[in-house]
Amino acid sequence: MRARSLPGGLWLGALLCALPLGHPSACRLSITPKDPAVPFGGHVILNCTSSCAGESSLGWETPERKVMEVGPGWASLNITNLQMWDLQPLCYITSTNIMEKARLHVYRLLPPEIHLGAKIVAGHREQVICNVSSLVAGSSPSDINVTLSTAGRPLSESHGDPAVGYSFVAQPTQHGQEIVCQAMLRVGHQVLSAWARTTLHVWAPPHSVQVSVERLLFQVGANITVRCSAQGNPQPELQWELPSEASVELSEHGRTVAVRSAQLTHSGTYRCLARNDYGSSSGHVSLFVKNPPRSRILTGLAATVVPLTAGLGMMQFLRKRPTTT
Ligand SMILES: *[C@@H]1O[C@H](CO)[C@@H](O)[C@H](O)[C@H]1NC(C)=O
Ligand SMILES: *[C@@H]1O[C@H](CO)[C@@H](O)[C@H](O)[C@H]1NC(C)=O
Ligand SMILES: *[C@@H]1O[C@H](CO)[C@@H](O)[C@H](O)[C@H]1NC(C)=O
Ligand SMILES: *[C@@H]1O[C@H](CO)[C@@H](O)[C@H](O)[C@H]1NC(C)=O
């Protein structure tokens, strides 16, 4: 320590600071942040502080272009666009051999890539693969774990492997489900994460074909409505096989068959065929149209009409009798 450049007051302060520590070499340098993780091409600001503030000036030594800022007892180094994998900038106290190396953990972590089959079809075995490209300076292989999950439920995990796969038989219900791939990479003392997501698009042949009608038994003259519904992706086209095409109307894009004033020929099986690019399926309902029991209604009417008129006649006869008497 040289007194020549220091005014009296500062010299006293420096002396007081140095005295309990004895020799100036007991001054310590510390760098924050400690052992930072810095992405390749990224930036970091290192701040070096001395435990004997004000005593001496600090500097940084680095092969990268230096952008420094200095204050009393500290010097910061601003590194932008880091292009070295093994950069160890050195902080030192001017004119001494007191120095401290900054340890940077340089890494590269790209977002995971999720690979799915070009066309996922329900009922087929499919595979989803997620792989991650990463590099951590001085650590090979990388300490990386990759997880595939859907709706918060893990499907598959890897430990120490940058790729993970999951094999499954595609279900129509998986259409629209989100698949998330998350990578956890250890860089120095930190664990960094990167993730990607994708939505499943599941094509499905027609399924769950349902044909419905309010009743199975109708009388001639009734109106009948038969409905068909089918699931599938893309939405299946519907076709009907009918017992009779007479007085039949299709509506709601072929989902409904309406029979106006049913005839006996409308009895039979109503079959709905659902078709799309991935297959076909069908459903049916069998219904019966019968004549109303016309004869029995008529005989019933006759039976009630006859006694009624007879009774009325009798009453008239009874009523008339006293007046005539
Ligand atoms: C460096 O650290 C010193 C002491 O903690 C602080 O006063 C100074 O502002 C810091 N410099 C930067 C650039 O962060
Ligand atoms: C991931 O795997 C695919 C297919 O095997 C390959 O084409 C791609 O280069 C890999 N990507 C990474 C980042 O490893
Ligand atoms: C990866 O998983 C292993 C085992 O579960 C664990 O010990 C390790 O800390 C994990 N590494 C990371 C980077 O998460
Ligand atoms: C059948 O439908 C037509 C038209 O909606 C209606 O006029 C007629 O009364 C219906 N017939 C029966 C038996 O409900």
Side-chain angles (χ1 to χ4, degrees), residues 17-28:
C17 167
L19 264 180
L21 299 163
H23 193 266
S25 67
C27 280
R28 284 186 52 79

Side-chain angles (χ1 to χ4, degrees), residues 296-314:
R296 228 188 296 153
I297 287 177
L298 281 182
T299 46
L301 267 177
T304 44
V305 165
V306 171
L308 204 66
T309 41
L312 281 174
M314 185 77 87

Side-chain angles (χ1 to χ4, degrees), residues 219-224 259-262:
Q219 286 186 358
V220 166
N223 291 338
I224 304 173
V259 179
R260 276 276 166 82
S261 189

Side-chain angles (χ1 to χ4, degrees), residues 154-177:
L155 301 170
S156 182
E157 292 178 63
S158 82
H159 297 284
D161 190 333
V164 66
Y166 176 69
S167 172
F168 63 104
V169 174
Q171 304 294 325
T173 50
Q174 287 170 326
H175 182 67
Q177 256 182 24

